[in-house]
Amino acid sequence: MALINSAAENNITFVQSAYFIISGFIGIPNIRYYFVFLCFIYIFSVVGNTLVMIVIILDRMLRSPKYIAVFNLAFTDLLSSSALVPKVVDIFLFNHYYVSYNDCLTFMFFCFTFIFMQGFNLVVLSFDRVMAIMYPLHYQMRVSHKLILSLIAFFWLLAITLILIAAGLLTRLSFCKSVVIQSYFCDHGPMYRLGCNDVTPNHAFAGSALVIILGFPLAFIVGSYCCIGYSLSKISTFRERVKAFKTYTGHLSLVAIYFLPFTFVYMFGSVIHPNARIISLSMSTVLPPMLNPIIYVLQTQEIKQSLKKLLKTRLCESPGGNLPRD
């Protein structure tokens, strides 16, 4: 009887909020200038990633398994920026702080899915690079288009599953006190901490997901580069070792841009000012999609050559491009 009464009491007191209030940037001085900065970042991200995808589609020489992963990274970056930046600007620049319950869960789902996939794409690229250096003679046999596509599909499924579980655990929470989310979007951590009932499952799952999303990928990437470093150490001359290592600087730059800011924020987030944490976390999510295409265009010889070839072809095909000179 006591158990039934307790369950009945829990059902009576359960409150599912009709909306949430996003308050992350409220009160930060001169924050409107930051929103203008976000708009420029978004434009560069859309243009850069679209350009990378177009180059890979148009150039048949870039149909290798590696560039399938690069295409997926650019595609994910484009979706990540489009899911986050326009909505954040709309919320804070136009004072639309109230977000309905279902819209908030949807916003969280898309943002986290694409952010997680950025890290998983780096794992796929690391796998491709370590296979290329460890098995140079058998690389094409071991790393096929089907294998890379299977890895990408698996990681998409993993990211979507993790976020669906996180969203499902949020629906069991009662928001009977505050509905103010101390973040710049519908962030999972600040949301579940608002729950009035037991948040232990949410907290446990958040910790486990963080290990899967940041811990395992970073450990795999570090281990793969240890193998790459060992293989490069067998090259006879120092100049050849440096030349070989330069081919991996682009991917290493992407890894540093993605993992270091997130690691810093999650390790020292409790000791830095909340405003600084929100700004740092927002920069961690919006800068990689803008910088990734720049790094790949500048540091990947194949994409640079392909881009030059496509531009030259378009100029020759344009009106007046083949006019004889005087």
Side-chain angles (χ1 to χ4, degrees):
M1 182 63 69
L3 182 62
I4 296 175
N5 292 335
S6 177
E9 181 180 352
N10 288 335
N11 289 331
I12 292 172
T13 57
F14 183 84
V15 177
Q16 186 180 79
S17 175
Y19 59 85
F20 290 100
I21 301 173
I22 314 296
S23 66
F25 291 127
I26 297 176
I28 299 179
N30 302 316
I31 194 62
R32 288 184 178 269
Y33 297 108
Y34 183 66
F35 298 142
V36 175
F37 175 64
L38 286 182
C39 291
F40 279 108
I41 287 180
Y42 177 63
I43 293 171
F44 281 118
S45 176
V46 170
V47 172
N49 287 293
T50 303
L51 180 63
V52 170
M53 289 190 292
I54 290 174
V55 170
I56 294 174
I57 291 173
L58 295 180
D59 193 342
R60 293 183 178 275
M61 300 300 292
L62 301 180
R63 302 291 176 85
S64 64
K66 171 187 174 181
Y67 286 102
I68 292 177
V70 173
F71 181 91
N72 190 59
L73 177 63
F75 178 66
T76 305
D77 286 342
L78 178 62
L79 293 179
S80 177
S81 296
S82 300
L84 182 64
V85 177
K87 184 64 175 178
V88 169
V89 172
D90 175 67
I91 290 173
F92 294 101
L93 195 60
F94 300 103
N95 301 325
H96 297 157
Y97 305 122
Y98 291 79
V99 181
S100 69
Y101 182 89
N102 290 331
D103 287 349
C104 204
L105 291 181
T106 304
F107 188 22
M108 182 195 75
F109 170 80
F110 285 110
C111 287
F112 275 111
T113 298
F114 300 141
I115 291 171
F116 290 174
M117 272 307 301
Q118 290 175 10
F120 290 147
N121 282 324
L122 297 177
V123 172
V124 177
L125 287 169
S126 293
F127 172 78
D128 175 81
R129 292 299 82 201
V130 74
M131 294 298 288
I133 195 68
M134 296 291 289
Y135 306 100
L137 300 179
H138 304 284
Y139 168 75
Q140 292 184 346
M141 294 178 58
R142 292 175 178 265
V143 182
S144 62
H145 292 77
K146 182 179 179 181
L147 176 61
I148 294 298
L149 287 172
S150 299
L151 285 174
I152 291 172
F154 168 75
F155 283 127
W156 272 107
L157 183 61
L158 177 60
I160 291 171
T161 301
L162 289 173
I163 302 307
L164 286 177
I165 294 174
L169 289 174
L170 283 174
T171 59
R172 55 174 288 278
L173 296 181
S174 175
F175 300 96
C176 57
K177 296 180 182 178
S178 176
V179 293
V180 179
I181 300 175
Q182 300 292 335
S183 186
Y184 62 99
F185 73 113
C186 294
D187 197 349
H188 176 256
M191 283 180 68
Y192 81 73
R193 293 187 186 96
L194 297 175
C196 299
N197 47 339
D198 185 20
V199 298
T200 302
N202 304 77
H203 181 73
F205 181 77
S208 303
L210 196 62
V211 173
I212 296 172
I213 296 154
L214 290 179
F216 288 160
L218 187 58
F220 179 85
I221 293 171
V222 171
S224 66
Y225 272 95
C226 289
C227 296
I228 290 172
Y230 175 74
S231 297
L232 293 179
S233 66
K234 296 180 179 180
I235 299 177
S236 57
T237 64
F238 177 76
R239 180 176 295 180
E240 291 177 350
R241 286 197 295 268
V242 173
K243 183 179 179 180
F245 184 75
K246 283 183 178 179
T247 61
Y248 298 94
T249 55
H251 182 255
L252 278 175
S253 301
L254 302 184
V255 171
I257 290 170
Y258 179 82
F259 284 101
L260 290 181
F262 279 116
T263 303
F264 174 81
V265 169
Y266 282 108
M267 287 183 63
F268 303 102
S270 59
V271 298
I272 61 177
H273 193 276
N275 289 347
R277 179 186 179 278
I278 290 173
I279 294 292
S280 300
L281 193 57
S282 65
M283 294 290 284
S284 302
T285 52
V286 300
L287 279 182
M290 182 197 71
L291 295 176
N292 289 349
I294 296 174
I295 290 172
Y296 257 103
V297 170
L298 293 179
Q299 297 193 10
T300 305
Q301 194 66 28
E302 295 94 333
I303 291 184
K304 284 196 294 185
Q305 291 176 351
S306 178
L307 186 58
K308 290 178 183 178
K309 183 174 66 176
L310 291 173
L311 289 175
K312 185 178 180 180
T313 303
R314 291 295 180 270
L315 288 175
C316 291
E317 292 176 352
S318 63
N322 293 320
L323 290 177
R325 297 181 180 178
D326 295 334

